[in-house]
Amino acid sequence: MGHAIEAETIHPDLWRASQLASAQGRTVASGHPILDAELPGAGWPVGSLTEIMAPQPGCGELRLLKPALAAIAARPVFALQPPHRLQPAAFAWWGLAVENLHVARAPATADALWAAEQILRAGTAGALLFWQQQVRPEALRRLHLAAQRADTLLFLFRPLAAAGATSPAPLRIALDAVQGGLNVSFVKRRGPHRDDPVFVALSPSPVLLNRNAPLDRRSSSAPAHREFLPDLAHASV
């Protein structure tokens, strides 16, 4: 009787539907063991497009990424098109070097996409955090191709409605803020479908909250979940 052949030994894009695929390249541990157990390669993929979809900005997505950002803290971290200003004191409280945090804004979507490609092509960034409401499929393909040529963590933040759209991103997750943390659902991954979300406990970060900032009454999220503050002195790319 012949030995079973592992699908990934034939081609890295093949894997058995009943198992998680191993990462094609390097990964960075998420810092949440329960989540790493569900991520192909046991971490966030480097050199690949990862989509994070949330009901609104500031629901906990940055705290989710905190351990991974700390792991690559020696290299620059770029925040492109953040929907609100970031609080540098929060990053300092996390132990991240504020001088390595660079915020960039662009007047139009095309300019933002161009900037994202340039950051990836430069090859110096440890991570690129990119917020974008609408992205055309061809632009997503360009981003993914640019990411594959870089040694960078690329996270694209999109609204939940984008979960129904097609995307070349090998990893797509949806977030739901709940008491004590986040429910993480897998929209797409290299592995079996999972119906139930993964609960990731997140520690509260009081310094992320600006008590003088106006509360968005349209949101049902508690203000303690907010991670975006109007206190940042912008840093240029």
Side-chain angles (χ1 to χ4, degrees):
M1 182 181 294
H3 295 288
I5 299 176
E6 294 293 334
E8 291 178 345
T9 63
I10 302 174
H11 192 279
D13 286 335
L14 297 176
W15 71 92
R16 293 184 182 275
S18 60
Q19 65 186 34
L20 286 175
S22 60
Q24 296 184 31
R26 187 168 68 89
T27 61
V28 175
S30 73
H32 311 286
I34 192 170
L35 180 59
D36 285 336
E38 299 294 336
L39 290 171
W44 302 118
V46 175
S48 178
L49 172 62
T50 296
E51 289 188 37
I52 299 179
M53 288 156 280
Q56 67 173 25
C59 70
E61 62 270 36
L62 291 186
R63 280 183 292 158
L64 179 70
L65 300 181
K66 171 192 168 184
L69 295 180
I72 52 90
R75 299 172 62 194
V77 173
F78 288 86
L80 179 58
Q81 298 295 78
H84 305 289
R85 295 179 182 178
L86 303 179
Q87 173 60 282
F91 290 92
W93 186 70
W94 283 352
L96 304 179
V98 177
E99 59 270 20
N100 276 353
L101 175 65
H102 304 276
V103 178
R105 298 186 184 277
T109 298
D111 298 318
L113 291 167
W114 179 88
E117 290 188 40
Q118 301 312 306
I119 292 171
L120 293 170
R121 287 175 180 172
T124 58
L128 170 58
L129 313 177
F130 185 19
W131 286 264
Q132 197 63 46
Q133 289 288 320
Q134 297 181 344
V135 189
R136 296 174 64 88
E138 56 268 26
L140 286 173
R141 288 192 292 270
R142 287 176 61 92
L143 271 180
H144 185 47
L145 287 174
Q148 291 177 311
R149 303 186 185 103
D151 185 32
T152 301
L153 287 168
L154 171 59
F155 297 102
L156 177 64
F157 301 100
R158 306 180 69 188
L160 277 179
T166 58
S167 170
L171 179 60
R172 308 179 76 204
I173 63 173
L175 307 181
D176 181 27
V178 295
Q179 184 67 33
L182 288 172
N183 278 335
V184 180
S185 299
F186 288 91
V187 177
K188 179 183 176 183
R189 65 174 177 174
R190 291 167 51 84
H193 177 72
R194 180 187 172 104
D195 292 322
D196 298 328
V198 176
F199 173 73
V200 178
L202 298 177
S203 301
S205 301
V207 298
L208 295 176
L209 176 62
N210 181 348
R211 299 184 185 278
N212 297 319
L215 177 65
D216 186 353
R217 299 296 179 182
R218 296 170 298 178
S219 170
S220 60
S221 296
H225 289 301
R226 287 187 173 187
E227 298 183 335
F228 300 95
L229 301 172
D231 294 336
L232 178 70
H234 284 255
S236 59
V237 177

